[in-house]
Amino acid sequence: MIVALQSLSLDLRHAARIFKSAPVFALTVIGTIGMALGFNTTLFTIFNAYVLQPYAVRDPYSLYAIAWNTRSGVRSLTWREFADLQRRNPAFSDVFANGNTIQIPSQGLMGRAVSGNYFTALGASAALGRTLVPEDTAGEYGAPVLVLSYQTWQKRFGADPKILGRKIMVRDTFYEVVGVTRRGFMGVSTAVPSFWIPLTRSAPGTNKNQIDVLTGRLRDGVTPQQAQAALAVWSRQETASLPEDDKATGVILQSQATPLPLDKDSLVFFAPIFVSFGLVLLIACTNIANMMLARAIARQREVGIRLALGAPRLRLVRQLLAESILLALPAAALAFAVSEAALLLIQRLVFATLPPLMGPMVQFRALPPNSAVFTFILTVAVVAALAFGLAPALQSTRPNLVLATRGDFSNEFRPARLRRMLVVSQVTVCLLLLICAGVLLRATRKVEALDPGLVTRGAFHIEVDSQYQSKVVARLKSQPNLESLAVAWQPPLYGRFPSIPATSNEHGDVNWAKYDFVSPEYFSVFRIPLLAGRNFTAQEAADEAPVMIVSLSTARLFWPGRNPLGQSIRLADDPNLKGRVPRFRSAQVIGVSRDVASERVSDGLDSTCLYFPTSLASAGNGSLLVRFKEDADVTPRALIAALEQAAPDAQLIHPMDEVLALETY
């Protein structure tokens, strides 16, 4: 072992002397590999922070979010069910709760209301003062106390050591700062909160009927499958006396160990990017291999003399590889610097190019380098060194000794063949990247040119706590420039719609059809024309009657060449369906609408879409969608001011223009 280390030390010193005499060559290699490796490190750092790196809490892999399926959709537990689960839960050692996100745009803060055992369950301590305790959530209103995150304390309050006791306005109540969390603690939410307050029924951002996010920590020795089975029995007992639509049909457990789960969706998203960046690194290695081969040809006489003096070929190959590794190590250091600069630049570009109202909603997790990032850099650097150094090393150590000592080459020594192979490989990879870039640009142009079928200009999506919804609706209806006010269970352009297996009465072919619950005004808010038939009546919306409006593509799929009006679609009764499910098993077509891009613009127009009727009273926590008259000068700030009295700082306003822009971002 000692002999091997001494030999390696000699190889590295010899390589250092060689590169000292050829600094331009060394810097070229270091710069080329460092830049390519830096881009790959940037991507891996993001992937590691959001997918691989768990939350900085105690035993994160035992944390699971809890919800259950009903015929009315996926729902969380009620306050009574939460209290009962804490008293006699069959599978969890701790159960704690989160409220919805609390936005305070005027102060640039975003927080959450959490149960009193939140911090103790996560094993989180305070850097200053204390964290929340169960006594803080006693009573209807709880204690008006607040815990700041370490990051917010530093950036927003300048790490003021006298922060304890300061009052901060949250909605219409002053909260006293009683603590600052330890460095690195960010809770168990994808968005990084600025603060935490006690969770009660009257807390800001809280649903008076249900817990928004419920999380449990598995007991020692209990598997997720066992916990799910135990909760299924418990949930059926808890909901046995409820109406049929509200009875639990299944329990959902979702890992809360990392911000994004390591599943098919995350791999599908990151894999193409990793392949593209990997190809860039491969091109860099091919370029350097060509340079190393040219340099090896220039050193042919030196290699021949050393072989003639009895140096083993393996020893020379090792020497040449040591030179490659010596170049790869400073390239790794450069890659780290490039990665840090790229991450900072990406964050600034994102904030600079996001639509104005979307910017405050985006908060990045801290991306500090850790052992996984450094291991990635060093491992890829060594692999890159072998990739660009091995072939030239093997090629240059197999010459005819007599000719090599004179600096000549035999017919058997053909570096041009290897060089041609490297060039062909490089051209092939470059063409592949160009093809991928062309496909991406074509897809981007296609998305930009696509008419989504939705007129978003002048339309707004309003998120509001359920306790304020009726007041907000009344306030909106009193606005003289209001044109339409609708409600939808799933607003458009926000992601995937649920699907349900459906079949027409004419044949037994089953097709999965996307669906949504909308009020009659939905079509006027987005100017979606009805091509045939009629809209929902107010009574049909209030009763959520078994009627529907289908998109044009849906009509062509189920009734090709026929009039769809008056036809019926049978809906499957599947207990595994997630989301709100229609109460009826068959619905009649009363109208046909234009095809629109309801989910994501990049997915194109909907292949199927069924619209079922609902109303403000029936939709519960449905999203409010409004349109103002074309000559009305309505801005998000003006709308927030108009709704301030009805819902003090409790609403989020999303101009649908910005939502659409974010889709094509």
Side-chain angles (χ1 to χ4, degrees), residues 612-632:
F612 299 117
T614 192
S615 64
L616 283 168
S618 304
N621 265 342
S623 298
L624 297 178
L625 300 162
V626 297
R627 169 171 291 282
F628 292 92
K629 296 177 182 177
E630 292 184 359
D631 58 348

Side-chain angles (χ1 to χ4, degrees), residues 112-421:
R112 282 185 178 274
V114 297
S115 57
N117 65 333
Y118 180 84
F119 291 94
T120 55
L122 295 177
S125 57
L128 197 67
R130 67 173 178 87
T131 58
L132 299 181
V133 295
E135 289 74 19
D136 292 328
T137 59
E140 182 180 354
Y141 297 98
V145 295
L146 176 148
V147 175
L148 286 174
S149 71
Y150 190 92
Q151 184 178 6
T152 302
W153 176 55
Q154 281 197 319
K155 294 185 177 181
R156 179 72 171 76
F157 298 98
D160 183 4
K162 298 180 180 179
I163 190 66
L164 299 183
R166 182 180 294 190
K167 305 285 187 179
I168 295 178
M169 174 74 80
V170 180
R171 300 286 166 84
D172 55 352
T173 304
F174 280 102
Y175 284 76
E176 179 183 349
V177 178
V178 297
V180 177
T181 61
R182 58 173 168 79
R183 182 193 294 268
F185 178 78
M186 294 176 285
V188 286
S189 57
T190 305
V192 183
S194 305
F195 63 87
W196 294 267
I197 62 174
L199 177 67
T200 64
R201 287 178 183 264
S202 300
T206 304
N207 189 321
K208 286 183 174 295
N209 300 318
Q210 297 178 1
I211 303 296
D212 294 298
V213 181
L214 192 65
T215 305
R217 182 183 296 281
L218 291 178
R219 297 182 187 274
D220 292 339
V222 177
T223 66
Q225 293 75 20
Q226 292 172 334
Q228 193 166 17
L231 282 177
V233 175
W234 177 83
S235 65
R236 284 194 290 270
Q237 295 173 350
E238 283 288 317
T239 60
S241 59
L242 297 180
E244 197 66 29
D245 288 346
D246 296 328
K247 290 183 179 180
T249 59
V251 175
I252 301 172
L253 291 184
Q254 184 174 0
S255 175
Q256 293 284 88
T258 59
L260 297 175
L262 184 60
D263 56 12
K264 178 182 177 182
D265 290 338
S266 60
L267 290 177
V268 166
F269 176 79
F270 279 100
I273 309 176
F274 269 118
V275 170
S276 300
F277 280 43
L279 290 175
V280 172
L281 181 59
L282 182 59
I283 292 173
C285 289
T286 306
N287 278 328
I288 300 305
N290 266 316
M291 294 174 60
M292 295 289 283
L293 181 61
R295 193 167 182 278
I297 294 173
R299 297 173 61 189
Q300 189 62 47
R301 186 173 182 180
E302 172 198 340
V303 172
I305 291 173
R306 294 179 68 181
L307 287 172
L309 292 176
R313 185 188 179 200
L314 181 60
R315 179 72 177 79
L316 290 180
V317 170
R318 192 176 65 189
Q319 166 66 50
L320 295 174
L321 287 178
E323 295 178 9
S324 300
I325 292 176
L326 186 63
L327 292 173
L329 294 180
L334 175 61
F336 174 72
V338 170
S339 173
E340 291 296 297
L343 289 171
L344 182 61
L345 179 62
I346 288 171
Q347 294 186 35
R348 290 183 176 178
L349 285 176
V350 167
F351 284 120
T353 55
L354 275 175
L357 283 193
M358 294 294 178
M361 298 176 60
V362 177
Q363 296 205 20
F364 290 101
R365 285 174 58 84
L367 300 172
N370 56 15
S371 58
V373 174
F374 288 124
T375 300
F376 174 82
I377 295 176
L378 291 176
T379 301
V380 177
V382 172
V383 171
L386 295 176
F388 68 71
L390 184 59
L394 293 175
Q395 180 70 48
S396 62
T397 55
R398 48 182 297 192
N400 181 291
L401 295 184
V402 176
L403 295 176
T405 54
R406 300 202 304 263
D408 297 328
F409 306 99
S410 67
N411 293 331
E412 296 178 357
F413 183 67
R414 297 179 180 175
R417 179 183 298 174
L418 177 59
R419 193 160 51 241
R420 284 195 295 269
M421 291 175 58

